[in-house]
Amino acid sequence: MKILILGTQARYETYLPPLPFIRQQELVFLDKDSGEEEILTAAADAAILFADAIAPVRGSLIRRMPNLKLIHSEGVAYDRIDLKAAREKGVWVCNNKGCNAGAVAEQAILLMLMLLRRGLAGDRAVREGRQMEMKERCMAKGLLELSACRVGLVGFGDIAKALAERLAPFGCEVYYYSKHRRLREEEEPYGVTYLSLEELAASCDIVSLHCPVTEETRGMVDGDFLGRMKETAYLINTARGELVDNMALRQALVDGIIAGAGLDTVAPEPVTADNPLVDLPAPARDHLVFSPHLGGITEAAFRRCHLHMWRNAERVADGHKPDNIVNGLE
């Protein structure tokens, strides 16, 4: 069976699980940005397609691959896969739900602490011989401990739950919003309290995004959302850059509408020098911390993801239904 992989071959070889099934398949590797004609020339007859989480898999491609049975995101995101076209063609679309939840939760906490403890400005001050000046300024102004923060989670899936678990030892008050409130039996183990989105934005010291990109959530963090937040509050995004209106966030940071932001994801990706969030004027630039979308790419997370992908491929090859289906195909 032919398996097309839109992703880095070296990465797949690094995390290849020891499954005999894999050695029996024909693997075709292409860059995640390969054009449709290039893909079809190399593997139009592929039965399974593994795709980098940010690689587009358009309906036109799906409709031109007659043997296709499964499209599998290498990560959790699947917003760049045409789910409707796949469903119409009877092709399962699956993701690696939960495999990198703990890793992304750790990244969110890193960004929170970097902002609360003035990580960027502090590092630069020490390198420039201004350690005591920076220290005196922080003592005069005050540094907020994470334990004193009310943290609001927008979305309550695997990553948000993993973050709630990790925030509990810090002593944070943790709140959440989701489109549908969870049952009390699901809330209690995580020590979370439900708030409406408006209440959460207005009352929390840290607002952390953990929802998928949909027509409803795209650009949800706009000027109105940021205007509801406290001037002392921070925004954290380890979900998807498309959730945030870049120009609105830039203006909020420049005008001091919020205290700062920590972003592991920025749209579009890869981030370019002309992105409105990249070249902020002083002092706003010290209130924005970037990380290069590496929240979910720990070694352990990749091993879990790749094992799950290959096991799903084996299920499909054996005529069975895969798990973590995201396009509603039974």
Side-chain angles (χ1 to χ4, degrees):
M1 184 172 66
K2 183 176 289 187
I3 298 177
L4 169 62
I5 300 172
L6 297 179
T8 306
Q9 183 171 352
R11 184 166 72 237
Y12 274 81
E13 291 174 347
T14 297
Y15 300 111
L16 201 67
L19 299 178
F21 162 80
I22 300 173
R23 294 193 298 271
Q24 302 164 8
Q25 314 311 314
E26 178 185 354
L27 309 185
V28 177
F29 288 92
L30 291 175
D31 185 83
K32 69 179 181 353
D33 298 316
S34 298
E36 186 168 313
E37 296 305 321
E38 181 183 1
I39 292 172
L40 292 169
T41 298
D45 56 341
I48 291 174
L49 168 57
F50 290 162
D52 187 291
I54 63 171
V57 183
R58 299 182 177 88
S60 55
L61 175 65
I62 295 169
R63 287 187 283 270
R64 295 174 71 186
M65 298 181 68
N67 298 334
L68 195 60
K69 298 178 182 178
L70 169 69
I71 302 170
H72 210 303
S73 170
E74 189 186 4
V76 176
Y78 51 86
D79 54 288
R80 304 204 70 187
I81 302 171
D82 191 327
L83 303 183
K84 183 173 182 289
R87 188 167 57 249
E88 290 172 351
K89 287 284 291 181
V91 176
W92 285 302
V93 179
C94 299
N95 74 340
N96 286 314
K97 179 180 182 296
C99 287
N100 63 1
V104 178
E106 287 184 6
Q107 190 72 17
I109 291 175
L110 167 68
L111 293 171
M112 293 175 191
L113 292 173
M114 282 286 289
L115 290 164
L116 292 171
R117 296 306 179 98
R118 310 291 190 269
L120 293 178
D123 176 85
R124 188 168 60 254
V126 172
R127 294 176 189 277
E128 294 175 357
R130 297 183 293 104
Q131 175 189 352
M132 296 312 297
E133 172 194 334
M134 175 76 181
K135 184 175 181 180
E136 290 290 343
R137 188 162 64 247
C138 287
M139 287 192 291
K141 188 174 182 180
L143 292 174
L144 187 64
E145 293 183 12
L146 184 53
S147 63
C149 291
R150 292 162 58 100
V151 180
L153 312 176
V154 181
F156 199 58
D158 293 307
I159 295 171
K161 291 175 180 176
L163 179 55
E165 288 178 330
R166 285 157 176 76
L167 288 171
F170 283 94
C172 302
E173 292 182 31
V174 182
Y175 300 84
Y176 82 98
Y177 164 78
S178 64
K179 190 172 182 179
H180 302 290
R181 181 174 180 174
R182 302 299 200 268
L183 296 174
R184 188 177 301 277
E185 293 76 15
E186 189 175 354
E187 294 175 346
E188 287 180 348
Y190 299 97
V192 297
T193 302
Y194 178 84
L195 290 177
S196 71
L197 186 59
E198 292 75 16
E199 290 176 299
L200 185 148
S203 65
C204 287
D205 302 297
I206 299 173
V207 175
S208 191
L209 305 180
H210 301 285
C211 51
V213 177
T214 65
E215 288 307 309
E216 187 176 355
T217 63
R218 190 180 300 274
M220 66 181 292
V221 180
D222 56 11
D224 289 340
F225 185 102
L226 293 162
R228 282 194 293 270
M229 292 175 62
K230 300 192 292 186
E231 289 185 2
T232 55
Y234 298 94
L235 175 74
I236 303 294
N237 188 9
T238 55
R240 275 292 177 267
E242 289 82 1
L243 299 172
V244 177
D245 180 327
N246 289 346
M247 287 303 299
L249 179 56
R250 175 188 174 91
Q251 201 62 47
L253 292 168
V254 171
D255 293 344
I257 292 172
I258 64 171
L263 308 177
D264 190 45
T265 54
V266 180
E269 193 169 317
V271 180
T272 55
D274 60 353
N275 189 294
L277 292 170
V278 169
D279 189 23
L280 290 178
R285 69 169 64 104
D286 283 341
H287 301 285
L288 176 58
V289 177
F290 291 110
S291 54
H293 201 172
L294 48 74
I297 62 170
T298 63
E299 179 181 350
F302 262 125
R303 293 201 183 281
R304 288 190 293 268
C305 287
H306 280 235
L307 178 60
H308 178 249
M309 291 165 66
W310 287 110
R311 282 180 169 166
N312 254 353
E314 188 170 18
R315 289 188 187 101
V316 171
D318 290 341
H320 301 302
K321 178 181 173 181
D323 61 15
N324 287 10
I325 299 168
V326 297
N327 66 332
L329 189 65
E330 297 299 329

